[in-house]
Amino acid sequence: MNKPIARSKLQDQIAPRLARLRAGFNSGRTRAHAWRYEQLFRIEAMLTEREDEFAAALFKDLGKSPGDAFTTEIGFVKAEARLARKRLRRWMRPRRVGTPMLALPARSKIVPEPLGVALIIGPWNYPIQLVLAPLVGAIAAGNCAVVKPSEIATHSAAALARYLPDYLDPDCITVIEGGVSETEALLAVRWDKIFYTGGGRVGRIVMAAAAKHLTPVTLELGGKSPAIVLEDANIEAAARRIVWGRFLNTGQTCVSPDYVLVAPGREPALLEAMKAVLTHFFGADPRTSPDFGRIINDHHFNRLTAMLEDGEVVAGGQIDKNSRYIAPTILRKVSPEAPVMQEEIFGPILPVLTMASLNEAIAFVDARPKPLALYLFSRSREAARRVIAETSAGGVTINDTVLHLAVPGLPFGGVGDSGTGAYHGIHGFRAFSHDKAVLNKPSWPDPPLRYPPGSRFKRRWLRRIL
Ligand code: NAD
């Protein structure tokens, strides 16, 4: 095993690379529309020309099928970059706002400006998407950036380090690989923005490090995202969409439905329907399915297999330690106190609990940390209205799972324990911009109302116009 390198030595190694990015940002070229457009275009070109290499890396890391690699990573980022490129001029344009009487005559506008040099730290579960989609926002907003992919998805990190420099401006964008020591060394430096995706434990470390320099952060965290299935739900559709969302990427998805709360009368039908969907998606033996992946490492494999004991296995349950295979598993009769209900599962296990009423389901959700996503399956508009109004979550999808994150107009992010800040589309641009307030006044006329000395006349007028 490699000995961890001392932090000061790492900082010495990182320093010249950061100095180059600072100089790149200070050169002013990232502020130009042409630079941003070109870099976004090159991200698309890289993903088109190197699609096979990135897909191969994703397969090696996560057993990800070429279809999933394209839909959830490569194609996803290409669409994000294309949208940013096309909307860039509009996003960059200053926005006029009204000016109150007291400040007249004057013109007021909001001028978005880049923050500077950003650090983007990614996790291993969507190792390409979750660093490149934030990078699209960073570039669109005119920043320089260091991309720090997760060391756990080794092949994807290596592919990013190998290809990104071929396509993007090396004075402004760079990849720094590494694990905990390298990330700690990076976090000790002053950044203009830190964008972190991963678990809450490291999220706290990131926020504490950022606080030292008053650096703004976006934290894209996780949590236990519930799926509520009411009495009036279309059970076939609910089963298909919950199973898809839960077992996508072998359950290693931050917005996966983490557990199901179902009306007791519908539990048998839902379980039967989900079992049928599992067979339809992955065949009688999911081990042989090209659409079902493997667990990222032994640590997570061991953590997950312990959870298989936490309820009655309705489907799945088989494991293979050598290939880190865990069959798509559905559990029932699960206690809310069981370990599987205490931490985010982040694997192919779905506990199903019964909830007598919508009130009870809402109370259950509200008593726990705010989830990243919340799903409701019901035909009732009133139920949807209540769930949206009476619970807090990063995002809500009614009658489906995961898909709200694919709508670029919607901000993607958590709230409370599931994160702070958001991105995708214009929200990514905003995450890496400062909205600068600009008031522009002519020197004349200069009404004396606000200047001393005060008088009854002035006060009377001030009362009228404020
Ligand atoms: P991870 O272990 O890969 O860690 C994320 C990053 O933190 C890595 O780059 C890693 O190098 C760094 N890191 C790890 N330990 C560190 C330390 N002690 N100090 C500094 N940096 C450190 O990923 P993870 O945390 O296992 O990711 C899974 C979690 O991420 C889940 O909770 C999931 O829900 C969440 N997630 C959220 C989103 C989202 O968009 N909101 C997306 C994917 C994953």
Side-chain angles (χ1 to χ4, degrees):
M1 222 174 92
N2 290 342
K3 255 175 69 182
I5 314 170
R7 190 199 288 183
S8 58
K9 194 161 169 210
L10 282 169
Q11 275 165 348
D12 290 347
Q13 289 169 5
I14 290 166
R17 302 181 68 180
L18 297 191
R20 185 175 180 188
L21 296 201
R22 269 279 151 230
F25 182 72
N26 291 341
S27 75
R29 66 175 180 273
T30 66
R31 291 172 186 265
H33 172 270
W35 182 88
R36 305 182 196 194
Y37 188 97
E38 172 82 17
Q39 299 303 308
L40 293 169
F41 185 78
R42 288 195 201 170
I43 288 185
E44 291 170 61
M46 175 183 76
L47 292 171
T48 304
E49 290 164 17
R50 299 295 175 189
E51 179 178 339
D52 291 348
E53 287 85 346
F54 282 118
L58 289 165
F59 181 77
K60 284 186 198 148
D61 284 330
L62 292 141
K64 217 170 260 203
S65 70
D68 281 355
F70 185 78
T71 319
T72 65
E73 306 243 21
I74 298 163
F76 186 97
V77 178
K78 275 170 78 171
E80 186 75 6
R82 195 180 319 121
L83 178 91
R85 192 163 54 76
K86 292 198 168 146
R87 302 267 167 90
L88 198 51
R89 251 188 226 290
R90 208 181 309 164
W91 294 350
M92 288 171 68
R93 211 174 281 153
R95 310 189 295 277
R96 286 276 296 273
V97 297
T99 306
M101 286 273 272
L102 180 69
L104 286 176
R107 279 207 294 221
S108 305
K109 61 184 174 182
I110 298 167
V111 180
E113 66 174 17
L115 293 172
V117 182
L119 171 63
I120 297 170
I121 305 175
W124 50 265
N125 62 333
Y126 289 87
I128 307 288
Q129 186 212 131
L130 294 174
V131 289
L132 292 188
L135 182 63
V136 165
I139 291 173
N143 296 270
C144 292
V146 166
V147 168
K148 210 302 286 176
S150 172
E151 72 282 13
I152 295 175
T154 40
H155 298 94
S156 304
L160 286 163
R162 164 74 189 79
Y163 297 116
L164 224 70
D166 286 352
Y167 287 85
L168 300 183
D169 181 348
D171 290 336
C172 297
I173 315 289
T174 195
V175 178
I176 295 186
E177 285 185 271
V180 175
S181 317
E182 287 78 3
T183 316
E184 282 174 347
L186 285 168
L187 286 173
V189 175
R190 188 181 74 77
W191 299 91
D192 300 308
K193 168 85 191 186
I194 302 178
F195 190 108
Y196 166 80
T197 307
R201 186 185 62 83
V202 177
R204 286 170 173 82
I205 296 173
V206 170
M207 204 166 183
K212 285 204 182 112
H213 303 284
L214 294 176
T215 298
V217 291
T218 297
L219 301 176
E220 294 282 340
L221 311 177
K224 291 183 83 63
S225 300
I228 301 170
V229 181
L230 295 185
E231 199 72 46
D232 67 344
N234 177 329
I235 291 293
E236 301 298 319
R240 202 166 39 245
R241 294 168 183 187
I242 291 172
V243 165
W244 174 72
R246 168 75 285 187
F247 299 106
L248 179 72
N249 200 30
T250 326
Q252 301 165 117
T253 301
C254 55
V255 285
S256 266
D258 187 273
Y259 62 93
V260 175
L261 301 177
V262 61
R266 306 308 300 276
E267 190 198 19
L270 182 69
L271 292 174
E272 278 316 304
M274 290 202 295
K275 275 162 61 176
V277 172
L278 277 177
T279 311
H280 182 69
F281 281 5
F282 306 119
D285 183 7
R287 197 184 316 236
T288 59
S289 164
D291 296 308
F292 191 74
R294 298 295 182 263
I295 304 306
I296 184 80
N297 61 21
D298 289 341
H299 163 73
H300 285 284
F301 179 83
N302 295 332
R303 183 181 63 79
L304 289 162
T305 48
M307 291 180 180
L308 295 172
E309 312 289 314
D310 290 349
E312 180 188 315
V313 174
V314 179
Q318 301 81 3
I319 60 169
D320 174 36
K321 197 168 172 45
N322 287 334
S323 60
R324 292 194 303 274
Y325 167 77
I326 299 178
T329 298
I330 299 173
L331 301 176
R332 69 184 285 263
K333 291 200 170 154
V334 176
S335 156
E337 275 72 49
V340 76
M341 286 302 294
Q342 297 306 310
E343 60 175 280
E344 181 181 358
I345 298 171
F346 221 55
I349 302 170
L350 181 64
V352 177
L353 288 78
T354 53
M355 268 308 122
S357 66
L358 177 58
N359 283 347
E360 213 179 296
I362 289 175
F364 191 90
V365 172
D366 285 346
R368 288 168 171 72
K370 295 177 179 183
L372 183 59
L374 191 150
Y375 305 114
L376 172 72
F377 291 86
S378 170
R379 292 186 168 98
S380 157
R381 280 192 188 188
E382 175 57 12
R385 188 199 63 72
R386 282 199 55 201
V387 164
I388 294 165
E390 295 176 31
T391 63
S392 181
V396 173
T397 292
I398 308 290
N399 288 318
D400 212 324
T401 62
V402 177
L403 284 185
H404 59 288
L405 79 73
V407 180
L410 291 177
F412 177 64
V415 55
D417 285 62
S418 55
T420 182
Y423 71 129
H424 287 181
I426 192 168
H427 310 287
F429 175 87
R430 290 194 179 138
F432 287 94
S433 297
H434 164 60
D435 270 348
K436 184 152 67 185
V438 177
L439 178 93
N440 193 342
K441 267 180 88 66
S443 308
W444 186 90
D446 198 6
L449 278 183
R450 65 189 159 118
Y451 298 127
S455 69
R456 274 183 60 197
F457 172 81
K458 284 183 179 177
R459 280 196 294 278
R460 194 167 345 120
W461 273 99
L462 283 171
R463 275 180 208 288
R464 281 192 190 170
I465 63 173
L466 277 178

